[in-house]
Amino acid sequence: MSEEKSAVPAWEQRFRAARVSLPDWAEDAPDRALYVSNASGTYEVYAWDRATDTHRRVTDRPNGTTDAELSPDGEWIWWFDDSDGDEFGIWRRQPFAGRPEGAEGPDEEAVPGLAPSYEAGLALGRDGTVVVGRSTDDGGTTLHLRRAGAAEAVEIYRHAEYGGVGDLSHDGTLLAIDHTEHGDAMHGAIRVVRLPHEGSAVETVAELDEVTGRDEPRGLACLGFAPLDGDTRLLVAHQRTGRWEPMIWDVATGVETALALRDEQGRELPGDLSAQWRPDARTLLIEHEYEARSELFSYSLDEGVLTRLDTPRGTVGGATPRPDGTVEFLWSSAAEPSAVRSTAGTVVLRAPGAVPPRSVPVEDVWVDGPGGRVHALVQRPAGAGDGPLPTVFEVHGGPTHHDSDSFAAGPAAWLDHGFAVVRVNYRGSTGYGQAWTDALRERVGLIELEDIAAVREWAVSSGLADPERLVLSGGSWGGYLTLLGLGTQPELWNLGVAAVPVADYLTAYDDEMEALKAIDRTLFGGTPEEVPERWTASSPLTYVERVRVPVYISAGVNDPRCPIKQIDNYVERLERLGKPHEVYRYEAGHGSLVVDERIKQLRLEIDFVRRHLGGAAVGENQADTE
């Protein structure tokens, strides 16, 4: 490594190192693929001709692009065009080979006549059929069908509650719709319809709803139709056993087929399970998530046999079965950077340039909490000894998400600066069963903080964490929990760092995108008008007078998820009360896709913590992390 490169600190190298997403390939042209990469310094869409190993940047926008899809024949790249990260826009498209030489102006509108909206799914058929899902604050969810050669799209579905495109059958005749018409946005239902031709109406073929009329709602999600013409089998995820599992539903006959997913020793896999069809339609690719890690299996429908695929211990960030029988997957661990690997034992795709420096592995910790055993992932800075150490509690977003044993530049930066990092999969997190995920309802935020407090008590009593140097930090839902924790648990924390948070929940509800309004109504059991006491009890603004430590807040001014007005309300209250705080606003949405901006934000956070936390061990860790 040259002196110039080595002068850049390891934490910054990790952010600057190029990375790639799992490539998505065209079903009828498997040598044509798309992926997202930050190789240019901004996350953009790239086309990859695998036959010639040619890579081409498709999009080039100041605030980046991540949503894109290939047509089944591989001829067209569709990408979603919003404004500076506001997630409100239209689909555009360009040829896979690139725009004609001399072409000026933006890429063509993929479906002319559809006004900008929030994206709610996209399905592209082999015969040119297109179904576009849209969500707006006034119109709820609408789905629009355009047949090949048609001048415009026609509306085929509308509902005030949130929903979206599930999948289009291989022959383009059937459409699966994921919806929450029953009003429970955490537990979806599925409707399958026959798409109309000129002069006909939309015909409902089949329905699955395990919420309406049930005391214990169960979620359903579309995983995809079988990849054969005329095949009416739909792969579905369900929660009938209290966790996510796949089954096969023949929408023409109504027959449901459970899958006996047991390992070579006949043991039931304990975690959440997802599946996708392999190209032969006779086997499935199974992903198993359990205790913050994941693994892959192949399942033969003919033989009922589950076979483990060779993946290292860590996290699979996506997998795709190829026509040649191999499986490609994006893998990383907390210590090892990500790469796209194959079950053939090769690295399929690695971003250009230097590989980012490694970090340190995670330690699994289980703590007894008020709602059951809480799983936490703990990392200690290299060479730091046993402690007590300054410690960052890095709280994940979601809330229906979880921290995993995967590579993350943010936590690794805190480790490089001498901090221990603790990440908590509190109630509300996925991967620990439906009851754990659903537990946060109606005591929103407060439930999660009880679990975080239990892990904090372990961290201090075990000697890991210095009780005088504890930072509560997070982004999105993690930023919300940070602000709520500073107000409801003021004696537990010494600093707060909140990125794109919910700060004033009632104002946030008024301004946020409709899909999140639906989730919030489900979480709280009603609107702010219907159950105002719940919303007030869970809003950080309610407790701002109790905040006793400095707080840092960063926010995107175009954020549709955690809008800027409600953050401004919280900051104004801090100012009136004379509470120490710092605020950074930037021109983007719910986070930034620009590498330099991400580095700037983390540098500001580190500087804030180092200035306010005090103590000797808040400098850069000099241990070798290369």
Side-chain angles (χ1 to χ4, degrees):
M1 181 177 290
S2 69
E3 290 185 8
E4 181 180 355
K5 289 184 179 179
S6 63
V8 178
W11 73 265
E12 187 173 331
Q13 291 178 45
R14 294 190 194 95
F15 277 92
R16 293 203 180 280
R19 61 198 66 192
V20 294
S21 68
L22 180 73
D24 182 24
W25 50 275
E27 294 177 66
D28 297 335
D31 280 340
R32 293 189 167 189
L34 290 182
Y35 61 89
V36 173
S37 176
N38 65 336
S40 69
T42 301
Y43 284 86
E44 297 285 3
V45 178
Y46 286 74
W48 178 23
D49 187 332
R50 300 178 64 142
T52 60
D53 196 25
T54 303
H55 301 255
R56 179 181 68 83
R57 188 170 67 187
V58 175
T59 56
D60 183 7
R61 302 194 304 151
N63 283 295
T65 315
T66 58
D67 292 342
E69 190 164 333
L70 267 173
S71 60
D73 59 8
E75 292 296 320
W76 290 95
I77 298 168
W78 290 55
W79 60 274
F80 193 72
D81 181 12
D82 67 349
S83 299
D84 296 327
D86 67 359
E87 302 181 46
F88 197 82
I90 62 171
W91 287 98
R92 297 189 182 275
R93 69 173 193 168
Q94 69 169 258
F96 183 86
R99 299 176 63 183
E101 187 174 349
E104 297 181 356
D107 284 348
E108 66 180 49
E109 290 189 35
V111 185
L114 290 184
S117 69
Y118 298 111
E119 189 263 323
L122 174 70
L124 304 177
R126 285 164 175 74
D127 61 354
T129 296
V130 175
V131 180
V132 178
R134 301 171 65 252
S135 174
T136 63
D137 294 337
D138 297 329
T141 299
T142 57
L143 304 185
H144 302 260
L145 168 68
R146 192 187 71 177
R147 294 290 190 182
E152 60 184 24
V154 296
E155 184 180 302
I156 59 171
Y157 174 88
R158 176 181 289 269
H159 200 277
E161 296 290 346
Y162 184 72
V165 176
D167 192 34
L168 195 61
S169 63
H170 195 265
D171 57 13
T173 61
L174 301 175
L175 175 70
I177 301 170
D178 287 314
H179 70 84
T180 59
E181 294 176 8
H182 43 54
D184 184 338
M186 292 182 67
H187 303 97
I190 301 173
R191 175 176 301 126
V192 177
V193 301
R194 191 176 309 282
L195 292 178
H197 285 276
E198 187 174 351
S200 65
V202 177
E203 174 193 352
T204 297
V205 175
E207 299 257 15
L208 272 185
D209 178 352
E210 301 194 344
V211 175
T212 304
R214 296 174 182 256
D215 293 333
E216 296 185 4
R218 303 296 189 189
L220 297 162
C222 170
L223 298 176
F225 280 102
L228 295 174
D229 278 353
D231 198 324
T232 54
R233 293 176 299 165
L234 181 66
L235 199 56
V236 170
H238 66 86
Q239 292 181 310
R240 293 173 178 173
T241 60
R243 62 168 184 166
W244 285 108
E245 291 186 48
M247 71 172 184
I248 295 175
W249 176 35
D250 189 324
V251 302
T253 65
V255 172
E256 299 175 7
T257 303
L259 304 177
L261 300 177
R262 297 180 179 272
D263 65 15
E264 290 89 341
Q265 286 74 44
R267 298 171 300 192
E268 186 177 78
L269 300 177
D272 284 341
L273 298 161
S274 185
Q276 55 183 297
W277 296 97
R278 300 191 73 159
D280 61 7
R282 300 175 64 182
T283 53
L284 302 176
L285 175 63
I286 305 293
E287 182 172 343
H288 176 224
E289 286 192 346
Y290 183 57
E291 296 185 351
R293 293 174 180 86
S294 49
E295 56 187 344
L296 298 175
F297 296 83
S298 186
Y299 181 73
S300 168
L301 294 172
D302 294 335
E303 301 171 2
V305 174
L306 187 71
T307 304
R308 191 183 189 282
L309 303 179
D310 186 19
T311 58
R313 179 175 169 82
T315 296
V316 174
T320 181
R322 294 282 294 170
D324 64 3
T326 62
V327 173
E328 295 176 355
F329 57 97
L330 184 68
W331 177 90
S332 72
S333 70
E336 296 285 344
S338 63
V340 179
R341 303 184 178 209
S342 168
T343 50
T346 60
V347 173
V348 176
L349 180 64
R350 195 188 294 275
V355 176
R358 300 175 74 254
S359 188
V360 299
V362 296
E363 169 191 353
D364 294 274
V365 172
W366 291 89
V367 176
D368 289 333
R373 295 175 71 228
V374 184
H375 187 199
L377 303 177
V378 177
Q379 290 170 283
R380 304 168 188 262
D386 295 332
L389 300 168
T391 301
V392 174
F393 275 70
E394 186 74 19
V395 185
H396 73 72
T400 51
H401 185 54
H402 66 270
D403 273 316
S404 61
D405 180 7
S406 58
F407 197 75
W414 291 112
L415 291 163
D416 286 359
H417 285 81
F419 290 83
V421 175
V422 178
R423 291 178 286 168
V424 181
N425 283 332
Y426 49 74
R427 278 172 288 174
S429 301
T430 54
Y432 301 86
Q434 182 187 352
W436 191 259
T437 303
D438 287 359
L440 61 84
R441 294 175 67 165
E442 299 181 9
R443 290 190 64 237
V444 178
L446 306 172
I447 284 281
E448 301 96 295
L449 287 168
E450 290 176 354
D451 293 343
I452 293 169
V455 177
R456 178 207 177 275
E457 174 61 27
W458 165 85
V460 172
S461 62
S462 69
L464 168 71
D466 182 346
E468 301 301 320
R469 293 184 290 170
L470 291 177
V471 182
L472 186 58
S473 176
S476 191
W477 196 264
Y480 159 63
L481 293 178
T482 294
L483 296 184
L484 188 63
L486 295 181
T488 60
Q489 304 169 335
E491 72 284 354
L492 299 186
W493 310 106
N494 306 109
L495 277 183
V497 177
V500 291
V502 175
D504 169 5
Y505 222 136
L506 278 74
T507 301
Y509 179 79
D510 288 338
D511 294 346
E512 68 190 5
M513 60 199 301
E514 179 56 38
L516 293 185
K517 288 183 179 180
I519 292 174
D520 284 341
R521 290 192 297 270
T522 299
L523 288 174
F524 286 102
T527 66
E529 292 75 25
E530 293 167 337
V531 285
E533 70 285 354
R534 293 178 184 172
W535 290 78
T536 300
S538 294
S539 178
L541 189 65
T542 301
Y543 309 97
V544 68
E545 288 84 359
R546 299 178 60 191
V547 174
R548 66 175 183 84
V549 299
V551 56
Y552 177 89
I553 299 173
S554 61
V557 298
N558 302 316
D559 192 344
R561 299 172 182 265
C562 298
I564 194 67
K565 179 181 176 182
Q566 52 93 27
I567 293 173
D568 289 341
N569 290 348
Y570 187 87
V571 171
E572 288 170 7
R573 186 74 63 84
L574 287 174
E575 291 174 347
R576 289 203 302 269
L577 293 168
K579 305 284 186 178
H581 67 280
E582 295 178 21
V583 182
Y584 173 65
R585 299 173 179 85
Y586 54 93
E587 292 289 337
H590 198 60
S592 176
L593 299 176
V594 180
V595 172
D596 282 342
E597 177 61 35
R598 289 187 173 192
I599 291 170
K600 178 182 180 180
Q601 290 177 21
L602 189 53
R603 185 176 284 120
L604 289 170
E605 292 177 5
I606 292 170
D607 176 68
F608 174 83
V609 171
R610 293 176 75 168
R611 285 187 285 109
H612 288 279
L613 196 59
V618 195
E620 181 127 4
N621 180 24
Q622 298 302 314
D624 182 15
T625 57
E626 300 297 325

